[in-house]
Amino acid sequence: MKAMALYAEGAFGTIPELYVRPEYRTNGLGLRLVSQAKFFGASRGWTRLEVTTPPLPQFDRTLAFYEREGFAISGGSKLKVSL
């Protein structure tokens, strides 16, 4: 999903949720998906790509995966309201 923001200095992409079934996790599918998202964004001039991770520490492996792919914790919180 594409968005615009001052803090990102222009257009950027978001991956609100990325889930790979356990039986496909050891064959590099997640890595290929993230790599393609980076390529897609770079080819469109996006300044950054953001991902949302589930609550930690239950998902330490998820965080480690994204950190290995160059993502860094940027801070902030996600808020919601039911309508």
Side-chain angles (χ1 to χ4, degrees), residues 4-47:
M4 298 283 285
L6 291 174
Y7 76 87
E9 299 176 355
F12 69 100
T14 61
I15 301 173
E17 187 170 335
L18 177 67
Y19 179 80
V20 176
R21 287 182 167 179
E23 62 267 24
Y24 297 104
R25 290 181 186 162
T26 58
N27 68 5
L29 180 59
L31 174 61
R32 291 195 309 265
L33 289 168
V34 169
S35 293
Q36 285 298 310
K38 288 178 180 179
F39 177 79
F40 180 85
S43 72
R44 281 153 180 78
W46 295 356
T47 59

Side-chain angles (χ1 to χ4, degrees), residues 61-83:
R61 289 180 57 204
T62 302
L63 177 60
F65 166 78
Y66 287 120
E67 287 177 330
R68 281 193 308 273
E69 295 311 307
F71 288 84
I73 296 172
S74 62
S77 297
K78 188 174 185 179
L79 303 171
K80 69 177 181 177
V81 63
S82 296
L83 302 177

